[in-house]
Amino acid sequence: MEKGKRKREPIRQSVHVHCPIEDAFRLFTERFAEWWPLALHSIAGDDAEKCAIEPWRGGRVFECTRSGEEIEWGSVTAWDPPEHLKLMWHPGGPADSSQTVDVEFQTEADGTRVTVIHTGWETSAVPVCGLQGDHSIGWPAIVQRCFAEFVSSQALVAV
């Protein structure tokens, strides 16, 4: 580690959703484009049309522009439905990034606990990632608001 630089703690965001674990995993992955806040978190900005996670180990995480260009955000490094998803994460950056996004799904009494753990985020030079206490931006907003609100709008039956 370079002198004067310290390793930052991973970002950890967790939310309880009122649905079975299989539904939580499916909504997070298969319907990623429906809940991800693309207007705020995309590479192409206003030209971004959708985003996707390919459902297999080695699959891509990417966005598509209105003109059909695909911009890679990362790749799936672990695909273990319905308990675990792990991504090499580098939206708009080099593919050899050391960032990972680990998503864990755990059954709870009346639904599922979804936990996102982002490590290596400081390498992206995007300080907003580290604002864990601010629930209006970054991972707090994405997990606590966007994903959780999307799940609750689906009228799924809790376990």
Side-chain angles (χ1 to χ4, degrees), residues 5-81:
K5 289 199 175 191
R6 62 175 199 213
K7 184 171 172 84
R8 303 278 179 115
E9 290 296 315
I11 295 170
R12 178 181 288 269
Q13 288 298 312
S14 183
V15 67
H16 176 87
V17 291
H18 293 283
C19 68
I21 190 171
E22 294 83 6
D23 289 338
F25 188 91
R26 182 180 53 79
L27 292 171
F28 194 97
T29 58
E30 291 177 22
R31 297 182 64 191
F32 183 61
E34 294 177 56
W35 64 265
W36 183 264
L38 198 58
L40 298 172
H41 298 286
S42 67
I43 304 305
D46 291 341
D47 194 38
E49 185 172 51
K50 64 182 178 179
C51 55
I53 298 173
E54 293 178 331
W56 58 82
R57 189 171 197 265
R60 299 174 304 146
V61 182
F62 62 99
E63 73 181 65
C64 296
T65 66
R66 296 184 197 299
S67 64
E69 178 186 3
E70 293 181 349
I71 303 170
E72 193 167 315
W73 290 2
S75 60
V76 177
T77 58
W79 182 266
D80 304 305

Side-chain angles (χ1 to χ4, degrees), residues 25 28-29 53-61 74-81 83-89 98-105 115-119:
F25 188 91
F28 194 97
T29 58
I53 298 173
E54 293 178 331
W56 58 82
R57 189 171 197 265
R60 299 174 304 146
V61 182
S75 60
V76 177
T77 58
W79 182 266
D80 304 305
E83 292 95 11
H84 183 233
L85 168 70
K86 188 172 186 178
L87 311 170
M88 178 63 68
W89 189 252
S98 61
Q99 295 183 66
T100 59
V101 175
D102 215 341
V103 188
E104 300 170 352
F105 300 81
T115 303
V116 174
I117 304 162
H118 186 175
T119 58

Side-chain angles (χ1 to χ4, degrees), residues 126-141:
V126 181
V128 71
C129 290
L131 299 175
Q132 296 190 66
D134 187 340
H135 291 272
S136 64
I137 56 177
W139 283 116

